[in-house]
Amino acid sequence: RLLPEGTTCPKCGAASFEKENDILDVWFDSGVSHAAVLEHNPKLASPADLYLEGSDQHRGWFMASLVTSMSARGRAPFKTVLTHGWVLDGKGQAMHKSRGNVIPPSDIVKQMGADVLRLWVVSEDYRGDIRASDSIMKQMMETYRRIRNTLRFLLGNLADFDPARDAVAPRARAELDRWALASLAQLVDGVTQAYEEFEFYKIYHLVNQFCVVTLSALYLDILKDRLYCSAPADPVRRSAQSTVWDIFSAMTRMLAPILAFTSDEAYEHGHPAHPSVHLEDFPAVPEEWRDRDLLRRWERIVAVRDVVNVPLELARRSGEIGKSLDGAVVLRPRTRELAEFLAANLDVLREVCIVSQCRVDAAGVGEAAIEKLEEALEVTVGKASGGKCARCWCYDEAIGQDEEQPPLCPRCSDVVRRLANT
């Protein structure tokens, strides 16, 4: 009834054909999948939580599904629709086999692992076209390594830490650790919102910024002194480890949907009694982590650190000092308010700037208001006084006074003595 008389198969010459009745129309068949699939499977629910396809399906599958569901059910077949653009090559051209610019995902998985591919998927705003090339994948590999190395550092400092036994309550922790917790709370809030709104590229940028700036360049760099030099059970070290644990636990669970294998591997080492990170709850922020006033104050402390780092780096390059711990910093504020702020946070600033000595010289204080910190604060760097501790590398004028441990500063001498007696 459908074919012209005399039609034969061009391959075998057969002239007898049977009409296939299983498919009515491809768009109608896919358009009623909400009824045929969701409503007949007890493990599923209708309407669907999410319909996901490319932007061309607004007039295809999305429309066919919407028309059939509205006609037969009086409602949409989905709660949410998410559409994405296309994958282009590094030059912005569509990928075609004829052009030879196709990058098979299986090749990326074999060379770099599935997690690198997954990280690339979330690195760009999928609502537009995204590019893929060997150079882009290599950049993703570097970002992946930074995240993985951050998790390794966190995990490597938890070997002797049992959260059930050693954890310090958030409010009882050192101020630097409380600042890190407040920063972690902001990260969890931002990542959670990005997941809920399907803006996965924001997760990539938030996590990368947190690892590179907040952790590697600031918090973890400052923390090494306490982690490595304090006595194992010293409250300040346990405070640091408690925060490291909270960061590690939250990051592995936040990243589990993206870095599925890496997060599971890391979580298994940190939580040997737990079978998988994918069976855990998504991290929630305890209210005791939040502290807006502390974040505002530390924003200024970090700004002071940035100002100090400029002459500190110049002193290193000139050979006046070696490492930053060789340095003594003098802060010369030009406003009374800044002088009071610096004096109130002097111990914190010495720790944050990672120098052996830090003091405030308020001789040049005036009454004029100076908005820019670079203009309101003069910093000079010199060689720290005293001897260099053989254990923590900090300079201290009391080195040599302990007859039993002459190369050590008082803190390290006390730690070594306590370790020897255990």
Side-chain angles (χ1 to χ4, degrees):
R1 291 188 295 112
L2 303 176
L3 297 176
E5 188 175 350
T7 299
T8 60
C9 175
K11 291 186 177 181
C12 67
S16 177
F17 297 92
E18 180 179 337
K19 181 185 176 185
E20 174 60 64
N21 293 307
D22 290 343
I23 298 176
L24 171 63
D25 173 84
V26 290
W27 287 117
F28 181 83
D29 281 8
S30 63
V32 296
S33 58
H34 57 87
V37 177
L38 297 180
E39 295 179 6
H40 293 276
N41 189 329
K43 295 182 180 180
L44 302 177
S46 183
D49 290 320
L50 177 70
Y51 267 42
L52 168 66
E53 254 294 355
S55 55
D56 60 327
Q57 296 306 315
H58 282 284
R59 59 180 181 176
W61 182 46
F62 296 150
M63 182 57 68
S65 302
L66 184 61
V67 169
T68 56
S69 184
M70 290 300 297
S71 300
R73 301 292 185 262
R75 57 168 172 77
F78 40 68
K79 298 177 183 177
T80 306
V81 172
L82 188 147
T83 62
H84 57 78
W86 308 105
V87 179
L88 309 177
D89 67 11
K91 297 179 181 179
Q93 297 179 334
M95 290 189 178
H96 293 291
K97 290 184 178 179
S98 60
R99 290 179 180 168
N101 62 347
V102 175
I103 302 178
S106 57
D107 290 353
I108 301 172
V109 173
K110 290 178 183 177
Q111 295 171 10
M112 303 179 179
D115 280 1
V116 175
L117 179 64
R118 296 167 69 91
L119 188 63
W120 164 74
V121 169
V122 302
S123 66
E124 299 289 343
D125 188 350
Y126 59 81
R127 290 171 292 193
D129 296 336
I130 61 175
R131 299 188 180 192
S133 67
D134 290 338
S135 61
I136 292 174
M137 292 304 166
K138 289 178 181 178
Q139 292 175 9
M140 286 300 107
M141 188 67 184
E142 290 304 311
T143 302
Y144 167 77
R145 283 175 178 159
R146 280 196 294 268
I147 296 173
R148 182 181 176 87
N149 287 339
T150 300
L151 294 176
R152 287 182 63 186
F153 182 89
L154 296 172
L155 193 57
N157 283 282
L158 294 170
D160 66 335
F161 180 79
D162 180 353
R165 179 195 65 206
D166 303 319
V168 178
R171 295 299 183 191
R173 297 181 195 179
E175 185 174 307
L176 175 64
D177 301 324
R178 288 189 281 114
W179 168 80
L181 274 184
S183 301
L184 177 62
Q186 289 185 319
L187 176 68
V188 175
D189 288 341
V191 168
T192 302
Q193 182 178 357
Y195 270 122
E196 291 174 346
E197 297 177 355
F198 304 102
E199 294 182 322
F200 307 119
Y201 67 96
K202 290 185 178 180
I203 300 171
Y204 170 84
H205 292 291
L206 285 169
V207 170
N208 188 43
Q209 177 85 358
F210 188 74
C211 288
V212 174
V213 179
T214 305
L215 294 183
S216 296
L218 189 60
Y219 180 63
L220 297 181
D221 195 29
I222 301 168
L223 210 60
K224 291 174 184 176
D225 180 73
R226 269 195 283 154
L227 289 173
Y228 300 162
C229 299
S230 299
D234 192 308
V236 296
R237 184 170 182 271
R238 292 306 190 197
S239 170
Q241 286 183 304
S242 300
T243 308
V244 166
W245 170 265
D246 288 332
I247 294 172
F248 171 80
S249 181
M251 282 190 62
T252 48
R253 286 180 287 155
M254 281 190 293
L255 289 170
I258 300 170
L259 304 183
F261 298 104
T262 303
S263 296
D264 206 30
E265 178 189 5
Y267 198 83
E268 181 183 357
H269 285 282
H271 301 71
H274 296 240
S276 173
V277 69
H278 302 295
L279 299 177
E280 300 295 331
D281 291 333
F282 200 78
V285 178
E287 282 304 314
E288 54 190 353
W289 287 11
R290 304 184 190 279
D291 195 329
R292 293 182 179 178
D293 293 336
L294 184 66
L295 284 172
R296 280 194 292 267
R297 193 162 68 83
W298 268 79
E299 185 177 352
R300 194 176 190 189
I301 289 173
V302 172
V304 171
R305 179 182 187 262
D306 292 340
V307 173
V308 171
N309 278 343
V310 175
L312 201 60
E313 180 61 26
L314 291 175
R316 278 198 295 260
R317 291 182 180 179
S318 67
E320 185 178 356
I321 62 172
K323 297 182 180 296
S324 62
L325 283 174
D326 297 343
V329 171
V330 179
L331 306 174
R332 293 187 171 88
R334 295 177 179 171
T335 68
R336 193 170 306 282
E337 186 274 335
L338 179 59
E340 293 174 354
F341 176 83
L342 296 175
N345 295 279
L346 197 57
D347 290 339
V348 172
L349 287 168
R350 187 202 61 78
E351 181 184 21
V352 168
C353 295
I354 317 180
V355 293
S356 290
Q357 292 148 11
C358 183
R359 68 182 180 87
V360 176
D361 180 359
V365 168
E367 298 300 330
I370 305 175
E371 294 185 2
K372 291 185 178 180
L373 183 61
E374 297 85 351
E375 299 175 0
L377 178 62
E378 179 186 348
V379 180
T380 57
V381 176
K383 185 77 172 178
S385 60
K388 182 178 181 180
C389 177
R391 185 171 180 270
C392 70
W393 297 358
C394 291
Y395 282 74
D396 196 308
E397 295 182 356
I399 288 178
Q401 296 179 5
D402 189 328
E403 296 180 356
E404 295 181 7
Q405 304 285 349
L408 303 184
C409 67
R411 178 189 63 163
C412 287
S413 180
D414 180 62
V415 171
V416 170
R417 190 176 290 107
R418 287 159 60 187
L419 289 174
N421 295 329
T422 56

